[in-house]
């Protein structure tokens, strides 16, 4: 399911047990009740690919999207309480890495041939990405140059998730942030501290 929050602009929030995405679409909207929709509803809206302005109206149970071309999509809202997503975003991360989006994406894709789960090892000036196929005794690793700040750090992540985040951010460089052990990895665009435009890898 996905949440459309009207509390500080229009913010879209979606998550599962392994990742979460928070994207602010517009700023400066009036405070209104948040809307919880199914993933299918948003997929249909995406498929319509609206051009121009979209007018959003809703009642207690339904939300209506009216497009400039006359298309109208009505969705039933889910009557449940969405967890406080802001509580999942770690604060005070003391380790972070600035890295070229294309370089890390290409490295992940090559290592990903051997394993979806990859070990990311951050040291001063470099990131080592490695993956292993235990069944066939095959492994691969690649080193990517980066700007890393903090103590040496290791974390296992699903590589395809990081590539997906990078594709959605559409920036030349990304920032990966880390806090204490077992806290999510934050992926955001460089030169952006917008708390409403980031992804979390659990």
């Amino acid at each position: 399911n996905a949440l459309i929050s009207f509390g500080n602009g229009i913010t879209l929030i979606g998550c599962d047990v392994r990742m979460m995405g928070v994207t602010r679409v517009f700023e400066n909207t009036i405070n209104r009740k948040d809307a919880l929709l199914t993933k299918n509803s948003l997929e249909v809206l995406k498929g319509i690919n609206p051009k121009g302005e979209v007018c959003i109206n809703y009642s207690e149970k339904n939300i209506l999207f009216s497009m400039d071309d006359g298309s109208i999509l009505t969705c039933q809202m889910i009557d449940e309480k969405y967890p406080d997503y802001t509580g999942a975003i770690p604060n005070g991360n003391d380790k972070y890495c600035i890295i070229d989006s294309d370089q890390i994406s290409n490295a992940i894709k090559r290592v990903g041939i051997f394993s979806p789960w990859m070990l990311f090892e951050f040291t001063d000036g470099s990131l080592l990405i490695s993956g292993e196929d235990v069944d066939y005794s095959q492994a691969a690793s690649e080193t990517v140059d980066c700007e890393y700040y903090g103590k040496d750090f290791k974390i296992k992540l699903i590589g395809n998730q990081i590539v997906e985040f990078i594709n959605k951010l559409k920036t030349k460089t990304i920032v990966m942030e880390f806090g204490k052990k077992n806290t999510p990895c934050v992926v955001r665009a460089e030169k952006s501290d917008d708390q409403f435009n980031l992804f979390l890898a659990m």
Side-chain angles (χ1 to χ4, degrees):
N1 299 332
L3 179 71
I4 302 178
S5 174
F6 298 91
N8 189 345
I10 298 179
T11 305
L12 304 178
I13 305 99
C15 69
D16 59 22
V17 295
R18 291 182 176 173
M19 60 181 177
M20 181 175 79
V22 181
T23 303
R24 182 157 54 186
V25 184
F26 301 107
E27 298 181 10
N28 301 324
T29 56
I30 300 172
N31 272 319
R32 295 184 183 279
K33 177 184 174 182
D34 294 344
L36 183 58
L37 301 175
T38 64
K39 180 181 177 181
N40 288 342
S41 297
L42 292 180
E43 288 291 341
V44 172
L45 181 62
K46 179 181 176 182
I48 294 174
N49 192 22
K51 305 294 184 182
E53 293 186 352
V54 177
C55 181
I56 303 175
N57 296 284
Y58 60 94
S59 62
E60 287 295 318
K61 296 184 177 180
N62 297 290
I63 185 167
L64 184 145
F65 301 90
S66 302
M67 275 61 79
D68 274 354
D69 63 0
S71 302
I72 296 176
L73 174 65
T74 303
C75 307
Q76 184 174 358
M77 293 191 293
I78 301 173
D79 187 18
E80 295 178 7
K81 185 173 178 58
Y82 201 81
D84 180 15
Y85 71 92
T86 58
I89 302 173
N91 293 316
N93 290 332
D94 57 354
K95 297 174 282 291
Y96 67 97
C97 167
I98 303 172
I99 193 164
D100 182 271
S101 298
D102 289 338
Q103 287 188 26
I104 187 174
S105 290
N106 292 333
I108 289 173
K109 290 173 184 176
R110 289 188 288 266
V111 174
I113 295 172
F114 299 93
S115 174
W117 281 96
M118 301 174 199
L119 181 64
F120 291 69
E121 300 182 61
F122 297 88
T123 56
D124 184 23
S126 68
L127 163 62
L128 176 65
I129 304 172
S130 56
E132 181 180 7
D133 186 336
V134 179
D135 294 335
Y136 293 94
S137 299
Q138 295 178 329
S141 64
E142 291 216 17
T143 301
V144 183
D145 293 334
C146 68
E147 296 178 43
Y148 179 67
Y149 303 89
K151 295 181 179 179
D152 292 357
F153 185 71
K154 299 179 182 180
I155 186 172
K156 272 197 170 183
L157 298 168
I158 299 177
N160 286 342
Q161 285 185 355
I162 304 302
V163 173
E164 185 178 349
F165 297 164
I166 291 170
N167 291 339
K168 291 184 182 300
L169 289 170
K170 298 178 182 179
T171 57
K172 181 174 176 55
T173 53
I174 62 162
V175 175
M176 301 177 71
E177 299 179 3
F178 311 95
K180 297 179 181 179
K181 187 177 181 180
N182 297 325
T183 57
C185 163
V186 179
V187 181
R188 66 171 84 238
E190 189 193 2
K191 299 179 181 178
S192 172
D193 57 359
D194 186 353
Q195 63 175 317
F196 299 102
N197 192 17
L198 57 85
F199 294 92
L200 298 184
M202 308 301 183

